[in-house]
Amino acid sequence: MRSGKTKTMILCAMFVALIAVGAFIKIPVPVVPFTLQYLFTMLAGLLLGGKRGCLAVCAYILLGLAGLPIFAQGGGPGYIFQPSFGYIIGFAAGAYVTGTIAGKKSRPGYGRLLAADFAGLGIVYLFGMAYYYFISNLYLNNPIGLWPLFLYCFLLAVPGDILLCIVGAVLGKRLIPVVREER
């Protein structure tokens, strides 16, 4: 029993570290910065389950807000005023949704894993775009319209994240049985 809890804590800590590293693995694409954070938050949900995956992402968020420069553009409490902070909040909710959907079956197939990944991605974009819109328009006094928001915060960014969803489903299919047997 104790060994299972220790392994779970180690896996949670590993995902906190992977998400932090993923923030700095930047793939150069025009206009929108593309990092591997979503891949690791999605895998946290798939491999740890909804609650523990969300907990790992929340630990990452708390460390970043405490001042560790582990977000894509730094860290500290002032980061909540960055328009992109909504995506980070969305990572936690997305990991929960992804893990909950995938966890309904002990050995989920590719279809369920892809559905879980896309549902989590939708949550991330919902949180991210809503936060971006409200922070830009209400706090930063740097208004952005709905079309530019949709173009820059969704259309230009989503192709890479769709690819990450496919990669996440393939990795999840291979790793879920290993992680669940170990725990």
Side-chain angles (χ1 to χ4, degrees), residues 92-151:
Y96 179 80
V97 168
T98 300
T100 301
I101 292 172
K104 299 262 186 218
K105 300 254 183 184
S106 61
R107 290 194 172 242
Y110 288 112
R112 178 171 285 279
L113 293 171
L114 270 176
D117 292 348
F118 285 129
L121 182 63
I123 297 294
V124 169
Y125 276 99
L126 178 70
F127 276 78
M129 291 173 65
Y131 195 90
Y132 196 102
Y133 181 81
F134 287 112
I135 285 291
S136 292
N137 289 326
L138 300 177
Y139 177 75
L140 296 176
N141 201 22
N142 187 16
I144 186 169
L146 292 178
W147 171 247
L149 177 76
F150 183 71
L151 176 66

Short mmCIF file of all heavy atoms in Angstrom, two decimals, residues 92-151:
data_model
loop_
_atom_site.label_atom_id
_atom_site.label_comp_id
_atom_site.label_asym_id
_atom_site.label_seq_id
_atom_site.Cartn_x
_atom_site.Cartn_y
_atom_site.Cartn_z
N ALA A 92 -4.84 22.48 -16.10
CA ALA A 92 -5.29 21.72 -14.93
C ALA A 92 -6.67 21.12 -15.19
O ALA A 92 -6.90 19.92 -14.95
CB ALA A 92 -5.31 22.60 -13.69
N ALA A 93 -7.60 21.93 -15.67
CA ALA A 93 -8.94 21.44 -15.96
C ALA A 93 -8.91 20.40 -17.08
O ALA A 93 -9.61 19.38 -17.03
CB ALA A 93 -9.86 22.60 -16.33
N GLY A 94 -8.07 20.64 -18.09
CA GLY A 94 -7.95 19.70 -19.20
C GLY A 94 -7.38 18.36 -18.76
O GLY A 94 -7.82 17.31 -19.22
N ALA A 95 -6.39 18.38 -17.87
CA ALA A 95 -5.82 17.13 -17.35
C ALA A 95 -6.88 16.34 -16.60
O ALA A 95 -6.97 15.11 -16.72
CB ALA A 95 -4.63 17.41 -16.44
N TYR A 96 -7.73 17.04 -15.83
CA TYR A 96 -8.80 16.37 -15.10
C TYR A 96 -9.79 15.71 -16.06
O TYR A 96 -10.12 14.53 -15.90
CB TYR A 96 -9.53 17.36 -14.18
CG TYR A 96 -10.66 16.72 -13.43
CD1 TYR A 96 -10.40 15.96 -12.29
CD2 TYR A 96 -11.97 16.83 -13.87
CE1 TYR A 96 -11.43 15.34 -11.61
CE2 TYR A 96 -13.00 16.21 -13.20
CZ TYR A 96 -12.73 15.47 -12.07
OH TYR A 96 -13.76 14.84 -11.41
N VAL A 97 -10.22 16.46 -17.06
CA VAL A 97 -11.20 15.93 -18.02
C VAL A 97 -10.59 14.77 -18.81
O VAL A 97 -11.22 13.73 -18.98
CB VAL A 97 -11.69 17.06 -18.96
CG1 VAL A 97 -12.47 16.51 -20.14
CG2 VAL A 97 -12.54 18.05 -18.18
N THR A 98 -9.37 14.94 -19.29
CA THR A 98 -8.70 13.90 -20.06
C THR A 98 -8.57 12.62 -19.24
O THR A 98 -8.92 11.53 -19.71
CB THR A 98 -7.30 14.37 -20.50
OG1 THR A 98 -7.45 15.53 -21.32
CG2 THR A 98 -6.58 13.30 -21.30
N GLY A 99 -8.09 12.76 -18.01
CA GLY A 99 -7.92 11.59 -17.15
C GLY A 99 -9.23 10.93 -16.77
O GLY A 99 -9.31 9.70 -16.67
N THR A 100 -10.26 11.72 -16.57
CA THR A 100 -11.56 11.16 -16.19
C THR A 100 -12.17 10.37 -17.33
O THR A 100 -12.68 9.25 -17.14
CB THR A 100 -12.51 12.29 -15.74
OG1 THR A 100 -11.92 12.98 -14.64
CG2 THR A 100 -13.86 11.74 -15.34
N ILE A 101 -12.11 10.92 -18.54
CA ILE A 101 -12.68 10.22 -19.70
C ILE A 101 -11.89 8.95 -19.99
O ILE A 101 -12.47 7.88 -20.20
CB ILE A 101 -12.71 11.14 -20.93
CG1 ILE A 101 -13.73 12.26 -20.70
CG2 ILE A 101 -13.06 10.35 -22.19
CD1 ILE A 101 -13.70 13.35 -21.76
N ALA A 102 -10.57 9.05 -20.02
CA ALA A 102 -9.73 7.88 -20.32
C ALA A 102 -9.84 6.83 -19.22
O ALA A 102 -9.77 5.63 -19.49
CB ALA A 102 -8.29 8.29 -20.52
N GLY A 103 -10.02 7.26 -17.98
CA GLY A 103 -10.03 6.35 -16.84
C GLY A 103 -11.31 5.55 -16.69
O GLY A 103 -11.40 4.69 -15.80
N LYS A 104 -12.30 5.80 -17.52
CA LYS A 104 -13.55 5.05 -17.44
C LYS A 104 -13.35 3.58 -17.83
O LYS A 104 -14.16 2.73 -17.49
CB LYS A 104 -14.63 5.68 -18.33
CG LYS A 104 -14.99 7.08 -17.94
CD LYS A 104 -16.22 7.11 -17.11
CE LYS A 104 -16.62 8.55 -16.88
NZ LYS A 104 -17.13 8.77 -15.57
N LYS A 105 -12.30 3.30 -18.56
CA LYS A 105 -11.96 1.93 -18.95
C LYS A 105 -10.58 1.60 -18.42
O LYS A 105 -9.70 2.44 -18.38
CB LYS A 105 -11.94 1.79 -20.47
CG LYS A 105 -13.24 2.10 -21.16
CD LYS A 105 -13.87 0.84 -21.61
CE LYS A 105 -15.15 1.19 -22.35
NZ LYS A 105 -15.86 0.05 -22.74
N SER A 106 -10.38 0.35 -18.02
CA SER A 106 -9.08 -0.02 -17.48
C SER A 106 -8.00 -0.05 -18.58
O SER A 106 -6.85 0.24 -18.32
CB SER A 106 -9.15 -1.37 -16.77
OG SER A 106 -9.54 -2.37 -17.69
N ARG A 107 -8.39 -0.42 -19.77
CA ARG A 107 -7.46 -0.40 -20.92
C ARG A 107 -8.14 0.32 -22.08
O ARG A 107 -8.67 -0.32 -22.99
CB ARG A 107 -7.08 -1.82 -21.32
CG ARG A 107 -6.18 -2.48 -20.31
CD ARG A 107 -5.55 -3.72 -20.90
NE ARG A 107 -4.58 -4.22 -19.97
CZ ARG A 107 -3.29 -4.32 -20.26
NH1 ARG A 107 -2.84 -3.95 -21.42
NH2 ARG A 107 -2.45 -4.79 -19.37
N PRO A 108 -8.11 1.66 -22.05
CA PRO A 108 -8.81 2.41 -23.10
C PRO A 108 -8.16 2.21 -24.47
O PRO A 108 -6.95 2.07 -24.58
CB PRO A 108 -8.69 3.87 -22.64
CG PRO A 108 -7.51 3.89 -21.73
CD PRO A 108 -7.44 2.53 -21.10
N GLY A 109 -9.00 2.20 -25.49
CA GLY A 109 -8.52 2.08 -26.86
C GLY A 109 -8.12 3.44 -27.42
O GLY A 109 -8.31 4.48 -26.77
N TYR A 110 -7.62 3.44 -28.63
CA TYR A 110 -7.18 4.68 -29.26
C TYR A 110 -8.33 5.67 -29.40
O TYR A 110 -8.14 6.88 -29.22
CB TYR A 110 -6.56 4.41 -30.64
CG TYR A 110 -5.21 3.76 -30.57
CD1 TYR A 110 -5.04 2.45 -31.01
CD2 TYR A 110 -4.11 4.44 -30.08
CE1 TYR A 110 -3.80 1.84 -30.95
CE2 TYR A 110 -2.86 3.84 -30.02
CZ TYR A 110 -2.72 2.54 -30.46
OH TYR A 110 -1.49 1.95 -30.40
N GLY A 111 -9.52 5.18 -29.73
CA GLY A 111 -10.67 6.07 -29.89
C GLY A 111 -11.00 6.82 -28.61
O GLY A 111 -11.20 8.03 -28.63
N ARG A 112 -11.04 6.10 -27.50
CA ARG A 112 -11.32 6.74 -26.20
C ARG A 112 -10.20 7.71 -25.83
O ARG A 112 -10.45 8.80 -25.33
CB ARG A 112 -11.50 5.71 -25.11
CG ARG A 112 -11.75 6.35 -23.74
CD ARG A 112 -12.15 5.35 -22.70
NE ARG A 112 -13.50 4.89 -22.83
CZ ARG A 112 -14.58 5.54 -22.40
NH1 ARG A 112 -14.44 6.70 -21.81
NH2 ARG A 112 -15.77 5.05 -22.56
N LEU A 113 -8.96 7.31 -26.07
CA LEU A 113 -7.83 8.18 -25.73
C LEU A 113 -7.85 9.46 -26.57
O LEU A 113 -7.61 10.55 -26.05
CB LEU A 113 -6.51 7.44 -25.90
CG LEU A 113 -6.28 6.29 -24.90
CD1 LEU A 113 -5.05 5.49 -25.29
CD2 LEU A 113 -6.15 6.83 -23.49
N LEU A 114 -8.14 9.32 -27.86
CA LEU A 114 -8.23 10.51 -28.71
C LEU A 114 -9.38 11.40 -28.27
O LEU A 114 -9.23 12.63 -28.22
CB LEU A 114 -8.41 10.11 -30.17
CG LEU A 114 -7.14 9.91 -30.98
CD1 LEU A 114 -7.46 9.40 -32.39
CD2 LEU A 114 -6.34 11.19 -31.06
N ALA A 115 -10.52 10.80 -27.97
CA ALA A 115 -11.67 11.59 -27.51
C ALA A 115 -11.32 12.32 -26.21
O ALA A 115 -11.66 13.50 -26.04
CB ALA A 115 -12.88 10.68 -27.31
N ALA A 116 -10.65 11.63 -25.30
CA ALA A 116 -10.25 12.26 -24.03
C ALA A 116 -9.27 13.41 -24.29
O ALA A 116 -9.40 14.49 -23.70
CB ALA A 116 -9.60 11.22 -23.11
N ASP A 117 -8.32 13.18 -25.19
CA ASP A 117 -7.33 14.22 -25.51
C ASP A 117 -8.00 15.44 -26.14
O ASP A 117 -7.70 16.58 -25.78
CB ASP A 117 -6.26 13.68 -26.45
CG ASP A 117 -5.38 12.64 -25.80
OD1 ASP A 117 -5.43 12.48 -24.56
OD2 ASP A 117 -4.64 11.96 -26.53
N PHE A 118 -8.91 15.21 -27.08
CA PHE A 118 -9.59 16.33 -27.73
C PHE A 118 -10.53 17.06 -26.77
O PHE A 118 -10.66 18.28 -26.84
CB PHE A 118 -10.34 15.87 -28.98
CG PHE A 118 -9.43 15.59 -30.14
CD1 PHE A 118 -9.52 14.39 -30.83
CD2 PHE A 118 -8.48 16.51 -30.56
CE1 PHE A 118 -8.67 14.12 -31.90
CE2 PHE A 118 -7.64 16.26 -31.63
CZ PHE A 118 -7.74 15.06 -32.30
N ALA A 119 -11.17 16.33 -25.87
CA ALA A 119 -12.02 16.98 -24.87
C ALA A 119 -11.17 17.87 -23.96
O ALA A 119 -11.53 19.01 -23.66
CB ALA A 119 -12.79 15.94 -24.05
N GLY A 120 -10.04 17.34 -23.52
CA GLY A 120 -9.12 18.14 -22.70
C GLY A 120 -8.61 19.36 -23.45
O GLY A 120 -8.51 20.45 -22.88
N LEU A 121 -8.30 19.17 -24.73
CA LEU A 121 -7.82 20.29 -25.55
C LEU A 121 -8.90 21.36 -25.66
O LEU A 121 -8.60 22.57 -25.57
CB LEU A 121 -7.41 19.79 -26.93
CG LEU A 121 -6.84 20.83 -27.89
CD1 LEU A 121 -5.54 21.41 -27.35
CD2 LEU A 121 -6.62 20.21 -29.27
N GLY A 122 -10.14 20.95 -25.84
CA GLY A 122 -11.24 21.91 -25.91
C GLY A 122 -11.35 22.73 -24.62
O GLY A 122 -11.58 23.94 -24.66
N ILE A 123 -11.17 22.06 -23.49
CA ILE A 123 -11.21 22.75 -22.19
C ILE A 123 -10.07 23.76 -22.09
O ILE A 123 -10.26 24.89 -21.64
CB ILE A 123 -11.15 21.72 -21.04
CG1 ILE A 123 -12.37 20.81 -21.05
CG2 ILE A 123 -10.97 22.41 -19.69
CD1 ILE A 123 -13.67 21.49 -20.75
N VAL A 124 -8.88 23.35 -22.50
CA VAL A 124 -7.72 24.25 -22.45
C VAL A 124 -7.99 25.50 -23.28
O VAL A 124 -7.75 26.63 -22.82
CB VAL A 124 -6.43 23.53 -22.93
CG1 VAL A 124 -5.29 24.52 -23.12
CG2 VAL A 124 -6.03 22.44 -21.96
N TYR A 125 -8.49 25.32 -24.49
CA TYR A 125 -8.77 26.47 -25.35
C TYR A 125 -9.91 27.32 -24.82
O TYR A 125 -9.88 28.55 -24.93
CB TYR A 125 -9.03 26.04 -26.79
CG TYR A 125 -7.75 25.86 -27.56
CD1 TYR A 125 -7.20 24.60 -27.74
CD2 TYR A 125 -7.08 26.95 -28.08
CE1 TYR A 125 -6.01 24.42 -28.42
CE2 TYR A 125 -5.89 26.79 -28.77
CZ TYR A 125 -5.36 25.53 -28.94
OH TYR A 125 -4.19 25.38 -29.62
N LEU A 126 -10.91 26.70 -24.24
CA LEU A 126 -12.02 27.46 -23.66
C LEU A 126 -11.52 28.37 -22.55
O LEU A 126 -11.80 29.58 -22.54
CB LEU A 126 -13.09 26.50 -23.12
CG LEU A 126 -14.28 27.14 -22.44
CD1 LEU A 126 -15.14 27.87 -23.46
CD2 LEU A 126 -15.11 26.09 -21.72
N PHE A 127 -10.76 27.82 -21.61
CA PHE A 127 -10.20 28.62 -20.52
C PHE A 127 -9.24 29.67 -21.06
O PHE A 127 -9.28 30.83 -20.66
CB PHE A 127 -9.46 27.73 -19.52
CG PHE A 127 -10.33 27.10 -18.48
CD1 PHE A 127 -11.11 26.00 -18.78
CD2 PHE A 127 -10.37 27.60 -17.18
CE1 PHE A 127 -11.91 25.40 -17.82
CE2 PHE A 127 -11.15 27.01 -16.22
CZ PHE A 127 -11.93 25.90 -16.54
N GLY A 128 -8.35 29.24 -21.96
CA GLY A 128 -7.32 30.13 -22.47
C GLY A 128 -7.87 31.32 -23.23
O GLY A 128 -7.47 32.46 -23.00
N MET A 129 -8.80 31.06 -24.13
CA MET A 129 -9.34 32.14 -24.95
C MET A 129 -10.22 33.08 -24.13
O MET A 129 -10.16 34.30 -24.31
CB MET A 129 -10.10 31.56 -26.14
CG MET A 129 -9.18 30.89 -27.15
SD MET A 129 -10.05 30.03 -28.46
CE MET A 129 -10.86 31.38 -29.28
N ALA A 130 -11.02 32.53 -23.22
CA ALA A 130 -11.88 33.38 -22.39
C ALA A 130 -11.01 34.29 -21.50
O ALA A 130 -11.26 35.49 -21.40
CB ALA A 130 -12.81 32.52 -21.53
N TYR A 131 -9.99 33.72 -20.89
CA TYR A 131 -9.10 34.50 -20.02
C TYR A 131 -8.37 35.56 -20.83
O TYR A 131 -8.26 36.72 -20.41
CB TYR A 131 -8.11 33.56 -19.34
CG TYR A 131 -7.37 34.16 -18.17
CD1 TYR A 131 -7.89 34.05 -16.89
CD2 TYR A 131 -6.16 34.82 -18.33
CE1 TYR A 131 -7.23 34.60 -15.80
CE2 TYR A 131 -5.50 35.37 -17.26
CZ TYR A 131 -6.03 35.25 -16.00
OH TYR A 131 -5.36 35.78 -14.92
N TYR A 132 -7.85 35.17 -21.99
CA TYR A 132 -7.14 36.11 -22.85
C TYR A 132 -8.04 37.30 -23.20
O TYR A 132 -7.63 38.46 -23.12
CB TYR A 132 -6.69 35.40 -24.13
CG TYR A 132 -5.65 36.14 -24.92
CD1 TYR A 132 -4.32 35.76 -24.86
CD2 TYR A 132 -5.97 37.23 -25.71
CE1 TYR A 132 -3.35 36.43 -25.58
CE2 TYR A 132 -5.01 37.90 -26.44
CZ TYR A 132 -3.70 37.50 -26.36
OH TYR A 132 -2.74 38.18 -27.06
N TYR A 133 -9.27 37.01 -23.58
CA TYR A 133 -10.21 38.06 -23.96
C TYR A 133 -10.48 39.01 -22.81
O TYR A 133 -10.41 40.23 -22.96
CB TYR A 133 -11.52 37.42 -24.45
CG TYR A 133 -12.54 38.43 -24.90
CD1 TYR A 133 -12.48 38.99 -26.18
CD2 TYR A 133 -13.56 38.85 -24.06
CE1 TYR A 133 -13.40 39.93 -26.60
CE2 TYR A 133 -14.49 39.78 -24.46
CZ TYR A 133 -14.41 40.32 -25.73
OH TYR A 133 -15.32 41.26 -26.14
N PHE A 134 -10.80 38.46 -21.64
CA PHE A 134 -11.16 39.31 -20.51
C PHE A 134 -9.96 40.08 -19.95
O PHE A 134 -10.09 41.27 -19.63
CB PHE A 134 -11.86 38.49 -19.41
CG PHE A 134 -13.25 38.11 -19.80
CD1 PHE A 134 -13.58 36.79 -20.04
CD2 PHE A 134 -14.23 39.08 -19.98
CE1 PHE A 134 -14.86 36.44 -20.42
CE2 PHE A 134 -15.52 38.74 -20.36
CZ PHE A 134 -15.83 37.42 -20.58
N ILE A 135 -8.82 39.47 -19.83
CA ILE A 135 -7.63 40.19 -19.34
C ILE A 135 -7.24 41.29 -20.31
O ILE A 135 -6.94 42.41 -19.90
CB ILE A 135 -6.45 39.21 -19.09
CG1 ILE A 135 -6.67 38.41 -17.83
CG2 ILE A 135 -5.12 39.95 -19.03
CD1 ILE A 135 -6.58 39.22 -16.54
N SER A 136 -7.25 40.98 -21.60
CA SER A 136 -6.86 41.99 -22.60
C SER A 136 -7.84 43.16 -22.62
O SER A 136 -7.43 44.32 -22.64
CB SER A 136 -6.79 41.37 -23.99
OG SER A 136 -5.72 40.46 -24.06
N ASN A 137 -9.12 42.85 -22.61
CA ASN A 137 -10.13 43.90 -22.75
C ASN A 137 -10.44 44.64 -21.46
O ASN A 137 -10.68 45.84 -21.49
CB ASN A 137 -11.42 43.32 -23.34
CG ASN A 137 -11.26 42.95 -24.80
OD1 ASN A 137 -10.53 43.60 -25.52
ND2 ASN A 137 -11.92 41.91 -25.22
N LEU A 138 -10.44 43.95 -20.34
CA LEU A 138 -10.88 44.58 -19.10
C LEU A 138 -9.74 45.06 -18.20
O LEU A 138 -9.88 46.06 -17.51
CB LEU A 138 -11.77 43.62 -18.31
CG LEU A 138 -13.05 43.17 -19.04
CD1 LEU A 138 -13.81 42.18 -18.20
CD2 LEU A 138 -13.91 44.36 -19.41
N TYR A 139 -8.61 44.35 -18.20
CA TYR A 139 -7.53 44.73 -17.29
C TYR A 139 -6.40 45.48 -18.01
O TYR A 139 -5.98 46.54 -17.58
CB TYR A 139 -6.97 43.50 -16.56
CG TYR A 139 -5.81 43.84 -15.67
CD1 TYR A 139 -6.01 44.49 -14.47
CD2 TYR A 139 -4.50 43.56 -16.06
CE1 TYR A 139 -4.95 44.85 -13.66
CE2 TYR A 139 -3.43 43.90 -15.26
CZ TYR A 139 -3.66 44.55 -14.06
OH TYR A 139 -2.60 44.90 -13.27
N LEU A 140 -5.91 44.91 -19.08
CA LEU A 140 -4.77 45.50 -19.78
C LEU A 140 -5.16 46.68 -20.67
O LEU A 140 -4.30 47.39 -21.16
CB LEU A 140 -4.05 44.44 -20.62
CG LEU A 140 -3.42 43.30 -19.84
CD1 LEU A 140 -2.82 42.27 -20.79
CD2 LEU A 140 -2.36 43.83 -18.89
N ASN A 141 -6.45 46.87 -20.88
CA ASN A 141 -6.96 47.92 -21.75
C ASN A 141 -6.30 47.85 -23.13
O ASN A 141 -5.90 48.85 -23.70
CB ASN A 141 -6.77 49.31 -21.11
CG ASN A 141 -7.70 50.33 -21.72
OD1 ASN A 141 -8.73 49.97 -22.29
ND2 ASN A 141 -7.35 51.60 -21.61
N ASN A 142 -6.16 46.64 -23.60
CA ASN A 142 -5.59 46.35 -24.91
C ASN A 142 -6.62 45.50 -25.66
O ASN A 142 -6.46 44.30 -25.78
CB ASN A 142 -4.26 45.62 -24.75
CG ASN A 142 -3.54 45.44 -26.05
OD1 ASN A 142 -3.86 46.10 -27.04
ND2 ASN A 142 -2.57 44.55 -26.06
N PRO A 143 -7.71 46.14 -26.10
CA PRO A 143 -8.84 45.36 -26.61
C PRO A 143 -8.48 44.46 -27.79
O PRO A 143 -7.70 44.82 -28.66
CB PRO A 143 -9.86 46.41 -27.03
CG PRO A 143 -9.23 47.73 -26.87
CD PRO A 143 -7.91 47.56 -26.22
N ILE A 144 -9.08 43.29 -27.77
CA ILE A 144 -8.95 42.34 -28.87
C ILE A 144 -10.37 41.91 -29.25
O ILE A 144 -11.19 41.62 -28.38
CB ILE A 144 -8.07 41.13 -28.50
CG1 ILE A 144 -7.84 40.23 -29.71
CG2 ILE A 144 -8.64 40.35 -27.33
CD1 ILE A 144 -6.77 39.17 -29.53
N GLY A 145 -10.64 41.89 -30.53
CA GLY A 145 -11.95 41.48 -31.01
C GLY A 145 -12.06 39.97 -31.05
O GLY A 145 -11.07 39.24 -30.87
N LEU A 146 -13.26 39.49 -31.31
CA LEU A 146 -13.48 38.04 -31.32
C LEU A 146 -12.78 37.36 -32.49
O LEU A 146 -12.25 36.26 -32.33
CB LEU A 146 -14.98 37.74 -31.31
CG LEU A 146 -15.70 38.09 -30.02
CD1 LEU A 146 -17.19 37.80 -30.14
CD2 LEU A 146 -15.10 37.35 -28.84
N TRP A 147 -12.79 37.97 -33.67
CA TRP A 147 -12.13 37.34 -34.81
C TRP A 147 -10.61 37.25 -34.63
O TRP A 147 -10.03 36.17 -34.82
CB TRP A 147 -12.48 38.02 -36.13
CG TRP A 147 -11.64 37.50 -37.26
CD1 TRP A 147 -10.69 38.17 -37.96
CD2 TRP A 147 -11.62 36.15 -37.76
NE1 TRP A 147 -10.09 37.34 -38.88
CE2 TRP A 147 -10.64 36.08 -38.78
CE3 TRP A 147 -12.32 34.98 -37.45
CZ2 TRP A 147 -10.36 34.93 -39.49
CZ3 TRP A 147 -12.03 33.83 -38.15
CH2 TRP A 147 -11.06 33.81 -39.17
N PRO A 148 -9.92 38.34 -34.24
CA PRO A 148 -8.48 38.21 -33.99
C PRO A 148 -8.18 37.21 -32.87
O PRO A 148 -7.20 36.47 -32.94
CB PRO A 148 -8.03 39.62 -33.60
CG PRO A 148 -9.04 40.53 -34.16
CD PRO A 148 -10.33 39.76 -34.17
N LEU A 149 -9.02 37.18 -31.83
CA LEU A 149 -8.85 36.21 -30.75
C LEU A 149 -8.94 34.79 -31.31
O LEU A 149 -8.09 33.94 -31.02
CB LEU A 149 -9.92 36.43 -29.68
CG LEU A 149 -9.90 35.44 -28.52
CD1 LEU A 149 -8.75 35.78 -27.58
CD2 LEU A 149 -11.22 35.48 -27.77
N PHE A 150 -9.96 34.54 -32.11
CA PHE A 150 -10.15 33.21 -32.69
C PHE A 150 -8.98 32.86 -33.62
O PHE A 150 -8.47 31.74 -33.58
CB PHE A 150 -11.48 33.17 -33.46
CG PHE A 150 -11.80 31.83 -34.03
CD1 PHE A 150 -12.17 30.77 -33.22
CD2 PHE A 150 -11.74 31.61 -35.40
CE1 PHE A 150 -12.47 29.52 -33.76
CE2 PHE A 150 -12.04 30.37 -35.94
CZ PHE A 150 -12.40 29.33 -35.12
N LEU A 151 -8.53 33.81 -34.41
CA LEU A 151 -7.44 33.57 -35.35
C LEU A 151 -6.13 33.27 -34.64
O LEU A 151 -5.51 32.24 -34.86
CB LEU A 151 -7.27 34.77 -36.28
CG LEU A 151 -6.10 34.69 -37.27
CD1 LEU A 151 -6.33 33.57 -38.27
CD2 LEU A 151 -5.93 36.01 -37.99
#
